[in-house]
Amino acid sequence: MDSVRGQRGIHMLLAAEQEAQEIISKARNMKTARLKQAKDEAEWEATAYRASLEEDYKRKASGSSGWNVKKLDEETEIKIQNLKDASSKVHGDVISMLLKHVTSV
């Protein structure tokens, strides 16, 4: 009877070991699948974040260039007005100088 009991005990141990191996194998497969899922999620989040940053940059770049154009237009108008004011101040002097040189020949 002891040998039958021993045989049954060995079979129980082998079955338990087999079951443990299956549990470990399933756990490893689940871990691998979860790591792959986490990697995919991280890549998706990084792509979404990068896209949002690029969109913000483009929005700011186009907004700032519009601002620069407006600022340059204003500065140009001020310079044009200054030139008109300066030319109107010397307008009379230039005409009298031209008349003087034309009539002095």
Side-chain angles (χ1 to χ4, degrees), residues 3 5 19 25-26 31-33 41 53 57 59 65 70-72 81 87 91 93 96 98:
S3 69
R5 231 168 147 193
E19 186 179 344
S25 178
K26 286 180 185 177
K31 178 183 175 185
T32 303
E41 289 174 3
L53 288 179
Y57 173 76
R59 189 173 351 106
S65 68
K70 184 177 179 181
K71 183 178 178 184
L72 286 173
Q81 189 59 42
S87 67
H91 179 54
D93 294 338
S96 64
L98 285 173

Side-chain angles (χ1 to χ4, degrees), residues 8-23:
R8 195 180 308 162
I10 291 174
H11 285 293
M12 286 177 62
L13 285 174
L14 288 173
E17 184 180 353
Q18 182 66 28
E19 186 179 344
Q21 288 294 331
E22 289 174 8
I23 291 172

Side-chain angles (χ1 to χ4, degrees), residues 50-64:
R50 186 179 301 114
S52 71
L53 288 179
E54 286 178 5
E55 187 171 323
D56 286 346
Y57 173 76
K58 287 178 183 176
R59 189 173 351 106
K60 288 179 182 178
S62 66
S64 67

Side-chain angles (χ1 to χ4, degrees), residues 5 7 12 15 17-18 26 28 36 43 59 61 67 69 75 87-88 90 93-94 98 100 105:
R5 231 168 147 193
Q7 287 283 334
M12 286 177 62
E17 184 180 353
Q18 182 66 28
K26 286 180 185 177
R28 284 184 180 152
K36 183 181 182 320
E43 286 178 6
R59 189 173 351 106
W67 178 80
V69 169
E75 288 176 359
S87 67
S88 67
V90 295
D93 294 338
V94 170
L98 285 173
K100 180 180 170 187
V105 173

Side-chain angles (χ1 to χ4, degrees), residues 67-101:
W67 178 80
N68 286 338
V69 169
K70 184 177 179 181
K71 183 178 178 184
L72 286 173
D73 285 344
E74 290 173 358
E75 288 176 359
T76 303
E77 288 298 321
I78 290 171
K79 288 180 181 180
I80 289 172
Q81 189 59 42
N82 288 341
L83 287 172
K84 285 181 180 179
D85 291 344
S87 67
S88 67
K89 287 180 185 176
V90 295
H91 179 54
D93 294 338
V94 170
I95 289 177
S96 64
M97 181 182 71
L98 285 173
L99 285 174
K100 180 180 170 187
H101 284 291

